[in-house]
Amino acid sequence: MADKAWTIAVLSGKGGTGKTLVSVNLAAAANEAVYLDCDVEEPNGHLFLKPEVSGEETVTVKIPEIDAARCTGCRKCVEFCAFHALAFVGNKPLLFDEVCHSCGGCALLCPANAIRETGKAVGTVSSGISEKVIVYTGRLNIGEASGIPVIKALLQKISNKQDRPVFIDCPPGSSCAVMESIRDADFCILVAEPTVFGAHNLAMVHELVTLFQKPCGAVLNKCLTSENPSEAFCVEHGIPILARISFDPELGALNSEGKIAVRESERFQALFASLLERIGKEARHEAASDSQR
Ligand code: SF4
Ligand code: SF4
């Protein structure tokens, strides 16, 4: 694809636009690649890539554990917690662990040394291989409020994988979890549908990547011959259009059967290989412009 192994984040303003379709097919077209499923609330890239799983790690966060026997009831921890994760009930602090941000402050300040930190499982990261694509899948446990610890654990996996391109399948929308997912990306692909709603969602993710000063380009998915509000948005805002993927019954059928289109058809292999080529050009161009600034 390119002389450098780029880290490419694939985003969309909402689910169902084709973000995973683009991510898994790009990874498969690149052949030796890493695919990272950061859509930790509903990861589904593995349904397409069907990796042979080689391991699974539990992701934990630190939460306070209060020793009631030592606690003097001074309330200092409750007053300190900016996230209101501690309440004073029956003369003792009570923890609401789902809102605890694991800052460790309460344990540090407790004058009675009554608080120690303990690990709480919030999700998992599984590792596997699909042909030559290394697949990491993050899963957030049901009921957990934040996927960020699982996304951080996923990003750790690529810190020493600079020899092959990485494709990050981001969560939909523009939440903190998306911000975390694009943190290390060299380039962002914004996937958009050809509707007014698609253009609205595209505007949201474009605002996010602009805020993070990430170079980006758009993939317009499910294109019809009629007017495309997302394309109009790209033209108006100078966003490079990397590819237009037509509304295609064959692609739709492969996708609904959980198949990787580039592994099934030369036509789609050519489509995604050319998208890879275009991404490489854009990323190289941005890197060159950056070095001149
Ligand atoms: S700071 Fe320590 S001693 Fe004071 S209420 Fe909290 S746990 Fe108890
Ligand atoms: S670790 Fe931080 S966020 Fe969690 S309860 Fe203690 S002070 Fe609050």
Side-chain angles (χ1 to χ4, degrees):
M1 161 191 165
D3 43 348
K4 178 185 183 297
W6 305 105
T7 297
I8 310 293
V10 185
L11 301 86
S12 64
K14 70 170 185 68
T17 53
K19 174 176 61 61
T20 297
L21 166 92
V22 170
S23 309
V24 296
N25 278 285
L26 282 176
N31 197 18
E32 291 197 358
V34 178
Y35 168 82
L36 218 62
D37 201 342
C38 285
D39 190 358
V40 298
E41 286 189 41
E42 41 190 334
N44 54 14
H46 65 101
L47 298 174
F48 295 91
L49 288 160
K50 302 176 184 62
E52 195 176 312
V53 176
S54 54
E56 184 172 278
E57 297 162 26
T58 302
V59 179
T60 60
V61 293
K62 286 184 175 169
I63 58 162
E65 187 175 69
I66 298 157
D67 182 344
R70 280 176 179 252
C71 175
T72 60
C74 73
R75 290 179 182 246
K76 284 191 176 160
C77 56
V78 177
E79 287 157 12
F80 172 81
C81 183
F83 303 101
H84 305 291
L86 291 164
F88 210 67
V89 180
N91 274 340
K92 297 288 175 206
L94 177 72
L95 175 71
F96 296 94
D97 60 34
E98 62 281 3
V99 282
C100 171
H101 280 55
S102 306
C103 74
C106 54
L108 276 177
L109 69 71
C110 173
N113 206 16
I115 304 179
R116 75 177 187 99
E117 289 184 297
T118 184
K120 177 196 167 198
V122 292
T124 57
V125 169
S126 68
S127 318
I129 189 99
S130 168
E131 297 191 2
K132 290 182 181 171
V133 179
I134 299 170
V135 180
Y136 293 112
T137 303
R139 289 184 181 83
L140 184 66
N141 287 351
I142 291 169
E144 287 301 328
S146 171
I148 290 178
V150 180
I151 293 169
K152 280 185 194 286
L154 279 164
L155 293 175
Q156 282 265 320
K157 296 286 181 194
I158 55 166
S159 55
N160 61 354
K161 292 252 171 3
Q162 297 308 314
D163 57 331
R164 48 173 78 199
V166 175
F167 298 92
I168 301 176
D169 193 346
C170 296
S174 52
S175 66
C176 299
V178 185
M179 293 182 195
E180 188 64 33
S181 304
I182 67 169
R183 193 188 60 197
D184 297 332
D186 298 305
F187 192 83
C188 293
I189 300 175
L190 316 179
V191 182
E193 287 177 342
T195 61
V196 172
F197 308 107
H200 173 74
N201 293 319
L202 174 61
M204 276 179 3
V205 284
H206 181 244
E207 193 178 339
L208 179 77
V209 298
T210 305
L211 191 70
F212 278 72
Q213 299 184 321
K214 296 286 181 188
C216 70
V219 169
L220 304 176
N221 193 22
K222 305 177 193 172
C223 291
L224 301 162
T225 48
S226 51
E227 198 183 322
N228 186 337
S230 294
E231 179 156 3
F233 180 87
C234 291
V235 171
E236 190 184 335
H237 292 84
I239 304 168
I241 297 172
L242 307 171
R244 293 172 183 80
I245 302 176
S246 302
F247 187 80
D248 185 320
E250 189 187 350
L251 185 58
L254 289 170
N255 205 37
S256 63
E257 288 166 19
K259 290 181 176 162
I260 304 275
V262 304
R263 290 180 180 166
E264 302 291 329
S265 142
E266 283 182 14
R267 183 162 70 91
F268 295 124
Q269 170 65 41
L271 173 73
F272 283 93
S274 112
L275 175 55
L276 270 178
E277 199 50 48
R278 180 72 199 276
I279 295 163
K281 271 189 199 150
E282 290 290 338
R284 275 195 297 277
H285 175 71
E286 285 295 335
S289 314
D290 231 24
S291 66
Q292 285 165 11
R293 277 176 207 139

